[in-house]
């Protein structure tokens, strides 16, 4: 066994991996966008005056959180057509990721909202503000900066989970590295490169999230 | 008393600005206010005093509709606040009714509760723009005038975190007044303040009493201040009004044993 790293092979596969990186970013980005919006809706949905809705949402989210993402991906992609919902691997994958992570993000939002002091709600009521304005103008602007570190962690988490989309044939990084490996019987370079790319993308993200949090807090005068 | 026994409206010749009629409030089995009857006349300044836990804050919070009540009816200017008319009888108010009625009431809190992500001016403009539908320019004029009145105009672009407690409380008063309430509630607005800034807040309230025809209900531990500016002192003890009287009478010649005890205890503490 020799450890033979071939640079010319690296350059040869780099364009394919670069294209796959874009796909990975796209999948992570759109999954995250879904999770951000859906997570907020789910967090707010648990705070309505209908206890039944709160109960159903809470149990559903608990279920989503306690089953593997990969199962949810399979489920949406393969079981969907049986009930008449046929989705491309891309769309099914993004929806699975978005749904899965919305369950986690709703918790992050919930904690952020609960951290807003009771006095803020009471001031809104004393000013006769609507519930909608209270959330949109007073509560969420204070809850979101609070939630940003958690939101950032899940962005990195989503990113690291995108290889799971390879199981339904989305040509993201992992799928591409696998394909290169089975075509050329060389695995060292493609997998190493995938690792390096993930590292190179995750690290700055964490830094950016911290920066965003600081900027936002300053902008909001807190 | 059955709800059907309460008038849908108070008669024109008997319409205090606020009437608590047989109001009861409890948390679980703890009865916090027991059959409260209290009238506050138009333009009157009533100070509520009493030992800790006697229900003073609860009275204000019920009036601000921050707490529901368990019995009785509260009337504002003759109209029911906590209830509304349905088929000729009173039923508990829905949110729309509360919103309509709440418009005439403003409140200032012990811990100010300013919006931390807004400047002093934005805090004052928020209600007028979002709730009253004023234009930005109108709301700004109104807010700046009030910030001037409370002496905070030169800090109008500061966020609350950059203001002292006394300054925050003055902004909070301006914010409440910007909604043009007819009734103002103050819950221990100086209790969280350092002694040296209490005066700047009491001075503002003094001016309100002198220059506006607001009806005010104030919970306070500052006996001297209450005596100076109130039309009436209301002494609460264990969820009931133990004694009420004009300040002179109340402080110089309290009738009830418990009032005397309380006033002695307060004096000793000073
Ligand atoms: N949300 C609540 N749940 C349970 N009990 C409560 C609640 N709010 C108030 N109480 C109780 O109601 C009683 C009256 O409280 P309230 O705050 O009105 O007293 P207070 O006269 O304002 O006292 P203080 O001078 O300490 O502010 C107290 O015994 C208090 O413990
Ligand atoms: Mg109190």
């Amino acid at each position: 066994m020799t450890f033979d790293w071939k640079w010319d092979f690296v350059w040869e596969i780099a364009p394919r991996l670069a294209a796959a990186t874009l796909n990975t970013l796209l999948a992570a980005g759109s999954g995250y966008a879904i999770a951000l919006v859906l997570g907020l809706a789910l967090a707010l949905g648990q705070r309505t005056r209908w206890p039944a809705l709160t109960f159903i949402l809470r149990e559903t989210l608990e279920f989503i959180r306690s089953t593997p993402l990969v199962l949810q991906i399979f489920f949406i992609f393969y079981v969907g057509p049986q009930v008449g919902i046929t989705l491309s691997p891309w769309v099914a994958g993004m929806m699975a990721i978005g749904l899965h992570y919305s369950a986690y993000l709703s918790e992050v939002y919930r904690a952020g909202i609960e951290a807003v002091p009771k006095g803020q709600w009471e001031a809104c009521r004393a000013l006769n503000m609507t519930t909608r304005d209270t959330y949109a103008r007073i509560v969420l602007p204070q809850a979101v900066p609070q939630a940003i570190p958690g939101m950032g962690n899940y962005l990195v988490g989503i990113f690291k989970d995108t290889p799971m989309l390879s199981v339904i044939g989305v040509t993201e990084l992992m799928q591409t590295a696998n394909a290169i490996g089975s075509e050329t019987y060389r695995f060292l370079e493609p997998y190493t490169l995938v690792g390096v790319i993930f590292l190179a993308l995750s690290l700055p993200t964490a830094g950016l999230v911290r920066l965003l949090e600081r900027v936002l807090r300053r902008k909001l005068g807190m | 008393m059955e709800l059907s026994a309460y008038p849908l409206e108070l008669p024109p010749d008997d319409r205090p600005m606020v009437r608590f009629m047989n109001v009861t409030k409890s948390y679980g089995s703890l009865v916090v206010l027991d059959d409260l009857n209290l009238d506050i006349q138009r333009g009157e300044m009533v100070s509520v005093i009493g030992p800790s836990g006697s229900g003073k804050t609860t009275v204000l919070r019920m009036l601000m509709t921050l707490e529901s009540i368990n019995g009785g009816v509260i009337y504002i200017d003759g109209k029911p606040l906590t209830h509304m008319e349905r088929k000729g009888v009173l039923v508990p108010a829905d949110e729309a009714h509360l919103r309509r009625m709440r418009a005439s009431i403003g409140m200032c809190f012990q811990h100010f509760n300013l919006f931390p992500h807004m400047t002093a001016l934005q805090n004052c403009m928020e209600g007028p723009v979002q709730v009253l539908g004023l234009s930005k320019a109108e709301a700004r004029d109104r807010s700046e005038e009030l910030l001037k009145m409370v002496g905070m105009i030169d800090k109008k672009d500061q966020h609350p975190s950059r203001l002292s407690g006394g300054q925050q409380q003055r902004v909070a008063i301006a914010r409440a007044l910007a909604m043009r309430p007819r009734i103002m509630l103050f819950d221990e607005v100086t209790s969280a303040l350092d002694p040296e800034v209490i005066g700047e807040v009491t001075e503002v309230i003094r001016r309100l009493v002198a220059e506006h025809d607001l009806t005010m209900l104030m919970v306070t531990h500052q006996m001297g201040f209450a005596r100076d500016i109130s039309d009436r002192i209301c002494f609460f003890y264990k969820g009931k009004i133990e004694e009420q009287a004009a300040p002179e009478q109340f402080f110089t010649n309290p009738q009830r044993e418990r009032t005397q005890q309380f006033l002695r205890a307060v004096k000793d503490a000073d």
Side-chain angles (χ1 to χ4, degrees), chain B residues 56-58 110 187-188 219:
Chain B
K56 308 179 297 292
T57 295
T58 307
Q110 186 173 350
D187 187 15
E188 291 194 39
V219 175

Side-chain angles (χ1 to χ4, degrees), chain B residues 27-40:
Chain B
Y27 293 104
S29 60
L30 174 72
V31 178
V32 175
L33 287 168
D34 187 16
D35 196 26
L36 173 67
N37 286 286
L38 173 65
D39 283 1
I40 302 163

Side-chain angles (χ1 to χ4, degrees), chain B residues 212-229:
Chain B
H212 296 257
D213 58 353
L214 279 163
T215 304
M216 292 190 252
L217 191 55
M218 169 173 90
V219 175
T220 184
H221 288 299
Q222 292 176 270
M223 297 304 143
F225 180 52
R227 181 176 183 162
D228 269 7
I229 65 161

Side-chain angles (χ1 to χ4, degrees), chain A:
Chain A
M1 282 290 319
T2 52
F3 181 88
D4 59 335
W5 176 268
K6 290 195 174 153
W7 281 105
D8 45 347
F9 181 57
V10 169
W11 302 128
E12 190 186 318
I13 63 176
R16 261 176 94 183
L17 287 176
T21 303
L22 277 184
N23 279 351
T24 289
L25 284 175
L26 196 62
S30 32
Y32 193 54
I34 294 174
L36 281 180
V37 175
L38 191 59
L40 180 60
L42 290 167
L44 295 180
Q46 288 179 70
R47 301 182 57 95
T48 59
R49 355 184 181 170
W50 304 296
L53 178 65
T54 307
F55 177 79
I56 292 169
L57 283 179
R58 224 187 9 237
E59 294 303 306
T60 311
L61 292 176
E62 188 55 46
F63 175 74
I64 293 176
R65 276 193 296 266
S66 43
T67 52
L69 170 59
V70 71
L71 175 69
Q72 290 158 18
I73 295 174
F74 275 136
F75 209 87
I76 293 182
F77 187 61
Y78 290 113
V79 180
Q82 291 188 8
V83 294
I85 306 168
T86 307
L87 300 168
S88 72
W90 261 101
V91 174
M94 266 159 31
M95 282 182 49
I97 285 188
L99 183 68
H100 187 77
Y101 275 91
S102 70
Y104 288 97
L105 280 172
S106 72
E107 275 304 296
V108 173
Y109 285 122
R110 199 180 58 81
I113 291 172
E114 274 170 16
V116 175
K118 227 177 92 226
Q120 294 289 304
W121 296 87
E122 294 181 348
C124 291
R125 212 166 147 86
L127 290 176
N128 216 1
M129 291 172 72
T130 59
T131 307
R132 195 170 161 276
D133 279 345
T134 301
Y135 273 107
R137 302 195 46 88
I138 308 301
V139 173
L140 290 179
Q142 293 179 62
V144 167
Q146 194 90 27
I148 282 198
M151 292 160 80
N153 286 342
Y154 286 119
L155 175 58
V156 175
I158 282 194
F159 190 58
K160 287 197 297 187
D161 272 354
T162 48
M164 290 194 197
L165 296 179
S166 63
V167 298
I168 53 169
V170 173
T171 51
E172 46 64 64
L173 266 173
M174 203 60 209
Q175 160 90 3
T176 308
N178 283 338
I180 293 173
S182 49
E183 288 159 20
T184 62
Y185 300 102
R186 292 197 62 88
F187 293 95
L188 173 64
E189 290 86 353
Y191 286 160
T192 306
L193 281 179
V194 169
V196 169
I197 292 171
F198 269 105
L199 190 69
L201 292 174
S202 296
L203 285 182
T205 307
L208 279 178
V209 167
R210 271 199 298 277
L211 185 70
L212 178 66
E213 189 197 359
R214 270 221 308 281
V215 170
L216 214 57
R217 275 184 191 281
R218 196 170 44 234
K219 246 186 91 184
L220 297 176
M222 303 198 280

